[in-house]
């Protein structure tokens, strides 16, 4: 499985960005794909996940800071998952990664971890 994240860049506080994750090479019919991020000097954290079996969900530690601002979606015809990010703040500055686990729901993947990771895309929120 290969994942390619794109769409990062420099944005002003309050602005928006949409990240894309193009996926290919799946061998199973269903899978979970999620966005993670890692800010400078901080641990990687989960942002949001989407799967056929349990829909969309936020990672527990991200709900308070991201719900209402970040939204995950997918285009099955393009095998692409998106992360729409609105009302960005400097605290959202990070490298954003997409990752996937085949044959898994989002909830299952939160316990077992992801199998495949793409290279990240840098999001910088600054005036």
């Amino acid at each position: 499985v290969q994942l390619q994240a794109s769409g990062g860049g420099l944005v002003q506080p309050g602005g928006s960005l949409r990240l894309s994750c193009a996926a290919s090479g799946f061998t199973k019919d269903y899978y979970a794909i999620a966005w993670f991020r890692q800010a400078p000097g901080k641990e990687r954290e989960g942002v949001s996940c989407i799967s056929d079996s349990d829909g969309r969900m936020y990672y527990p530690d991200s709900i308070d800071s991201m719900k209402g601002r970040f939204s995950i979606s997918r285009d099955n015809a393009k095998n692409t998952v998106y992360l729409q990010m609105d009302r960005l703040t400097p605290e959202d500055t990070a490298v954003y990664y997409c990752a996937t686990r085949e044959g898994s729901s989002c909830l299952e993947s939160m316990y077992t971890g992801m199998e495949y990771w793409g290279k990240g895309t840098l999001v910088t929120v600054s005036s």
Side-chain angles (χ1 to χ4, degrees), residues 16 19 21 27-28 43 47 51 53 56 71-72 74 82 86 92 99 102 105:
S16 298
L19 306 182
C21 175
T27 61
K28 296 183 181 179
E43 292 186 355
V47 175
S51 77
S53 56
R56 306 177 223 187
S71 177
I72 194 170
R74 68 193 294 175
Y82 304 99
D86 299 319
D92 296 316
E102 290 194 279
S105 67

Side-chain angles (χ1 to χ4, degrees), residues 9 24-25 29-31 42 49 51 56 58 65-66 78 92-94 106-107 111 113 115 118:
S24 62
D29 291 336
Y30 68 100
Y31 46 86
K42 295 186 177 181
C49 181
S51 77
R56 306 177 223 187
Y58 293 94
S65 63
M66 300 181 198
K78 296 181 179 180
D92 296 316
T93 294
C106 283
L107 190 58
Y111 288 96
E115 290 179 298

Side-chain angles (χ1 to χ4, degrees), residues 21-126:
C21 175
S24 62
F26 288 109
T27 61
K28 296 183 181 179
D29 291 336
Y30 68 100
Y31 46 86
I33 291 188
W35 286 97
F36 294 79
R37 70 181 187 182
Q38 187 164 19
K42 295 186 177 181
E43 292 186 355
R44 187 175 62 202
E45 63 177 345
V47 175
S48 189
C49 181
I50 190 167
S51 77
D52 291 322
S53 56
D54 53 5
R56 306 177 223 187
M57 59 180 63
Y58 293 94
Y59 281 77
D61 291 343
S62 299
I63 289 176
D64 289 343
S65 63
M66 300 181 198
K67 190 173 183 180
R69 298 192 304 123
F70 289 16
S71 177
I72 194 170
S73 63
R74 68 193 294 175
D75 184 334
N76 288 332
K78 296 181 179 180
N79 284 335
T80 300
V81 172
Y82 304 99
L83 184 67
Q84 177 67 40
M85 306 186 295
D86 299 319
R87 303 198 306 276
L88 286 161
T89 73
E91 288 69 36
D92 296 316
T93 294
V95 178
Y96 285 72
Y97 302 87
C98 55
T100 188
R101 186 173 188 89
E102 290 194 279
S104 175
S105 67
C106 283
L107 190 58
E108 290 169 338
S109 71
M110 290 181 185
Y111 288 96
T112 59
M114 292 300 189
E115 290 179 298
Y116 305 98
W117 293 80
K119 293 182 180 179
T121 184
L122 176 63
V123 173
T124 303
V125 185
S126 175

